[in-house]
Amino acid sequence: MATHPKPQPVAANQPHPTPEAEEVFRRWIRFLDEEFYRHRSPERRAEIVRDQLYQLYLGRPHGGKPNVTLSSELPVNVLGLSLDPENVTLEAEYFGGLDEAEFAIRKPLLWFWKMFDRSPIGLNLWLGMRFRCMLGRHIFDHMGSGVKIHNGVDLTYGYKLSVGDGAVIHQGVLLHDRGGIKIGKNAIIGSFARVFSHSYSNIGAEEEVKLQPTTIGDGARIGSHEIIMGGTNIGAGEVVGHYPAYKV
């Protein structure tokens, strides 16, 4: 006989940083938010991201030229150079149909998103969710209020992604927005789900990519590890896969 898990009580006092830490965290996010609103050129945004990642990863400001003549220093030079978005390539840049202008202003921020999550502070849940929401306002086509995005969420284009108010996107979700993804208000996507917005068809010896926008309706719930194929239209309140009857 199947049994249904009982809803777990929500903690009365949510985990919270100390007042001193919260003030620093909020100042940092506010500073970055203002910088990205002020500067929209890809070059200036790349410099901002490079400088921030230098301090997060190397614990020092960016400055000076690396000594590339010493073989013993090549690994640290590779690390330092790779913290600059202008020295990296992302998956989306290899796809046809990329809007180069829209992607260029977002590429530094997409790199910042990925590298923040891979840094030790990316595991700081309180800071991380606020950091990603701040970046989302500069990356997404639409970013609602009260959104929660957990660690390790992977984006492709970013500018073809719309996220409604109160949506929750759990750990390790892939949002492959090549053809466009719209996530409705209060929708929940479970950990490590895969959401696509394109498909492939074989034409002779070649593959043709079909862009197929995907919609996840208001209040819909996607179970962990589920795969949502391109062109799927999930209705409001619909449940896909195994998902608890209560909101976690």
Side-chain angles (χ1 to χ4, degrees), residues 150-164:
H150 290 253
N151 177 272
V153 172
D154 198 6
L155 314 173
T156 305
Y157 284 7
Y159 63 85
K160 291 189 175 184
L161 182 61
S162 174
V163 182

PDB file of all heavy atoms in Angstrom, residues 150-164:
ATOM      1  N   HIS A 150      18.713  28.185  -7.182  1.00  0.00           N
ATOM      2  CA  HIS A 150      19.711  27.512  -6.361  1.00  0.00           C
ATOM      3  C   HIS A 150      21.024  27.301  -7.116  1.00  0.00           C
ATOM      4  O   HIS A 150      21.145  27.609  -8.306  1.00  0.00           O
ATOM      5  CB  HIS A 150      19.151  26.184  -5.857  1.00  0.00           C
ATOM      6  CG  HIS A 150      18.068  26.339  -4.833  1.00  0.00           C
ATOM      7  ND1 HIS A 150      18.253  26.062  -3.495  1.00  0.00           N
ATOM      8  CD2 HIS A 150      16.785  26.754  -4.949  1.00  0.00           C
ATOM      9  CE1 HIS A 150      17.136  26.285  -2.833  1.00  0.00           C
ATOM     10  NE2 HIS A 150      16.223  26.710  -3.697  1.00  0.00           N
ATOM     11  N   ASN A 151      21.997  26.739  -6.437  1.00  0.00           N
ATOM     12  CA  ASN A 151      23.343  26.540  -6.960  1.00  0.00           C
ATOM     13  C   ASN A 151      23.352  25.614  -8.185  1.00  0.00           C
ATOM     14  O   ASN A 151      22.607  24.641  -8.257  1.00  0.00           O
ATOM     15  CB  ASN A 151      24.230  25.947  -5.865  1.00  0.00           C
ATOM     16  CG  ASN A 151      25.625  25.636  -6.340  1.00  0.00           C
ATOM     17  OD1 ASN A 151      25.895  24.565  -6.849  1.00  0.00           O
ATOM     18  ND2 ASN A 151      26.521  26.579  -6.175  1.00  0.00           N
ATOM     19  N   GLY A 152      24.226  25.918  -9.138  1.00  0.00           N
ATOM     20  CA  GLY A 152      24.483  25.001 -10.244  1.00  0.00           C
ATOM     21  C   GLY A 152      23.477  25.029 -11.366  1.00  0.00           C
ATOM     22  O   GLY A 152      23.489  24.152 -12.229  1.00  0.00           O
ATOM     23  N   VAL A 153      22.587  26.013 -11.406  1.00  0.00           N
ATOM     24  CA  VAL A 153      21.640  26.132 -12.512  1.00  0.00           C
ATOM     25  C   VAL A 153      22.414  26.607 -13.740  1.00  0.00           C
ATOM     26  O   VAL A 153      23.145  27.587 -13.693  1.00  0.00           O
ATOM     27  CB  VAL A 153      20.504  27.117 -12.171  1.00  0.00           C
ATOM     28  CG1 VAL A 153      19.629  27.385 -13.392  1.00  0.00           C
ATOM     29  CG2 VAL A 153      19.662  26.549 -11.034  1.00  0.00           C
ATOM     30  N   ASP A 154      22.257  25.883 -14.854  1.00  0.00           N
ATOM     31  CA  ASP A 154      23.044  26.140 -16.056  1.00  0.00           C
ATOM     32  C   ASP A 154      22.185  26.809 -17.122  1.00  0.00           C
ATOM     33  O   ASP A 154      21.095  26.324 -17.441  1.00  0.00           O
ATOM     34  CB  ASP A 154      23.609  24.814 -16.589  1.00  0.00           C
ATOM     35  CG  ASP A 154      24.763  25.022 -17.550  1.00  0.00           C
ATOM     36  OD1 ASP A 154      25.192  26.174 -17.722  1.00  0.00           O
ATOM     37  OD2 ASP A 154      25.234  24.027 -18.139  1.00  0.00           O
ATOM     38  N   LEU A 155      22.677  27.917 -17.660  1.00  0.00           N
ATOM     39  CA  LEU A 155      21.974  28.677 -18.684  1.00  0.00           C
ATOM     40  C   LEU A 155      22.716  28.546 -20.016  1.00  0.00           C
ATOM     41  O   LEU A 155      23.923  28.300 -20.035  1.00  0.00           O
ATOM     42  CB  LEU A 155      21.902  30.154 -18.313  1.00  0.00           C
ATOM     43  CG  LEU A 155      21.490  30.500 -16.877  1.00  0.00           C
ATOM     44  CD1 LEU A 155      21.639  31.993 -16.652  1.00  0.00           C
ATOM     45  CD2 LEU A 155      20.056  30.051 -16.619  1.00  0.00           C
ATOM     46  N   THR A 156      22.017  28.745 -21.127  1.00  0.00           N
ATOM     47  CA  THR A 156      22.656  28.671 -22.436  1.00  0.00           C
ATOM     48  C   THR A 156      22.770  30.052 -23.065  1.00  0.00           C
ATOM     49  O   THR A 156      23.853  30.596 -23.189  1.00  0.00           O
ATOM     50  CB  THR A 156      21.877  27.718 -23.364  1.00  0.00           C
ATOM     51  OG1 THR A 156      21.751  26.455 -22.715  1.00  0.00           O
ATOM     52  CG2 THR A 156      22.632  27.510 -24.671  1.00  0.00           C
ATOM     53  N   TYR A 157      21.659  30.641 -23.483  1.00  0.00           N
ATOM     54  CA  TYR A 157      21.670  31.980 -24.053  1.00  0.00           C
ATOM     55  C   TYR A 157      21.361  33.035 -22.991  1.00  0.00           C
ATOM     56  O   TYR A 157      21.975  34.080 -22.953  1.00  0.00           O
ATOM     57  CB  TYR A 157      20.615  32.106 -25.159  1.00  0.00           C
ATOM     58  CG  TYR A 157      20.958  31.450 -26.476  1.00  0.00           C
ATOM     59  CD1 TYR A 157      22.091  30.661 -26.624  1.00  0.00           C
ATOM     60  CD2 TYR A 157      20.146  31.631 -27.584  1.00  0.00           C
ATOM     61  CE1 TYR A 157      22.392  30.068 -27.834  1.00  0.00           C
ATOM     62  CE2 TYR A 157      20.441  31.045 -28.806  1.00  0.00           C
ATOM     63  CZ  TYR A 157      21.574  30.259 -28.928  1.00  0.00           C
ATOM     64  OH  TYR A 157      21.864  29.683 -30.126  1.00  0.00           O
ATOM     65  N   GLY A 158      20.374  32.753 -22.168  1.00  0.00           N
ATOM     66  CA  GLY A 158      19.970  33.714 -21.141  1.00  0.00           C
ATOM     67  C   GLY A 158      18.952  34.719 -21.637  1.00  0.00           C
ATOM     68  O   GLY A 158      17.933  34.958 -20.989  1.00  0.00           O
ATOM     69  N   TYR A 159      19.184  35.310 -22.808  1.00  0.00           N
ATOM     70  CA  TYR A 159      18.280  36.362 -23.288  1.00  0.00           C
ATOM     71  C   TYR A 159      16.974  35.806 -23.840  1.00  0.00           C
ATOM     72  O   TYR A 159      16.070  36.572 -24.165  1.00  0.00           O
ATOM     73  CB  TYR A 159      18.974  37.236 -24.331  1.00  0.00           C
ATOM     74  CG  TYR A 159      19.407  36.553 -25.605  1.00  0.00           C
ATOM     75  CD1 TYR A 159      18.521  36.385 -26.673  1.00  0.00           C
ATOM     76  CD2 TYR A 159      20.709  36.092 -25.759  1.00  0.00           C
ATOM     77  CE1 TYR A 159      18.919  35.772 -27.849  1.00  0.00           C
ATOM     78  CE2 TYR A 159      21.121  35.483 -26.932  1.00  0.00           C
ATOM     79  CZ  TYR A 159      20.229  35.322 -27.977  1.00  0.00           C
ATOM     80  OH  TYR A 159      20.635  34.712 -29.140  1.00  0.00           O
ATOM     81  N   LYS A 160      16.850  34.486 -23.937  1.00  0.00           N
ATOM     82  CA  LYS A 160      15.603  33.861 -24.368  1.00  0.00           C
ATOM     83  C   LYS A 160      14.883  33.173 -23.207  1.00  0.00           C
ATOM     84  O   LYS A 160      14.078  32.276 -23.408  1.00  0.00           O
ATOM     85  CB  LYS A 160      15.861  32.854 -25.485  1.00  0.00           C
ATOM     86  CG  LYS A 160      16.278  33.490 -26.800  1.00  0.00           C
ATOM     87  CD  LYS A 160      16.299  32.469 -27.922  1.00  0.00           C
ATOM     88  CE  LYS A 160      16.587  33.110 -29.260  1.00  0.00           C
ATOM     89  NZ  LYS A 160      16.518  32.128 -30.369  1.00  0.00           N
ATOM     90  N   LEU A 161      15.174  33.625 -22.006  1.00  0.00           N
ATOM     91  CA  LEU A 161      14.615  33.019 -20.801  1.00  0.00           C
ATOM     92  C   LEU A 161      13.748  34.024 -20.058  1.00  0.00           C
ATOM     93  O   LEU A 161      14.163  35.154 -19.804  1.00  0.00           O
ATOM     94  CB  LEU A 161      15.754  32.536 -19.904  1.00  0.00           C
ATOM     95  CG  LEU A 161      15.404  31.835 -18.603  1.00  0.00           C
ATOM     96  CD1 LEU A 161      14.597  30.564 -18.859  1.00  0.00           C
ATOM     97  CD2 LEU A 161      16.682  31.493 -17.842  1.00  0.00           C
ATOM     98  N   SER A 162      12.526  33.612 -19.713  1.00  0.00           N
ATOM     99  CA  SER A 162      11.606  34.449 -18.952  1.00  0.00           C
ATOM    100  C   SER A 162      11.186  33.686 -17.702  1.00  0.00           C
ATOM    101  O   SER A 162      10.738  32.539 -17.791  1.00  0.00           O
ATOM    102  CB  SER A 162      10.376  34.798 -19.794  1.00  0.00           C
ATOM    103  OG  SER A 162       9.417  35.487 -19.027  1.00  0.00           O
ATOM    104  N   VAL A 163      11.337  34.314 -16.536  1.00  0.00           N
ATOM    105  CA  VAL A 163      11.029  33.665 -15.257  1.00  0.00           C
ATOM    106  C   VAL A 163      10.024  34.520 -14.503  1.00  0.00           C
ATOM    107  O   VAL A 163      10.282  35.697 -14.220  1.00  0.00           O
ATOM    108  CB  VAL A 163      12.304  33.464 -14.407  1.00  0.00           C
ATOM    109  CG1 VAL A 163      11.963  32.756 -13.102  1.00  0.00           C
ATOM    110  CG2 VAL A 163      13.348  32.673 -15.189  1.00  0.00           C
ATOM    111  N   GLY A 164       8.859  33.952 -14.168  1.00  0.00           N
ATOM    112  CA  GLY A 164       7.796  34.687 -13.509  1.00  0.00           C
ATOM    113  C   GLY A 164       7.980  34.829 -12.008  1.00  0.00           C
ATOM    114  O   GLY A 164       8.818  34.158 -11.394  1.00  0.00           O
TER     115      GLY A 164
END
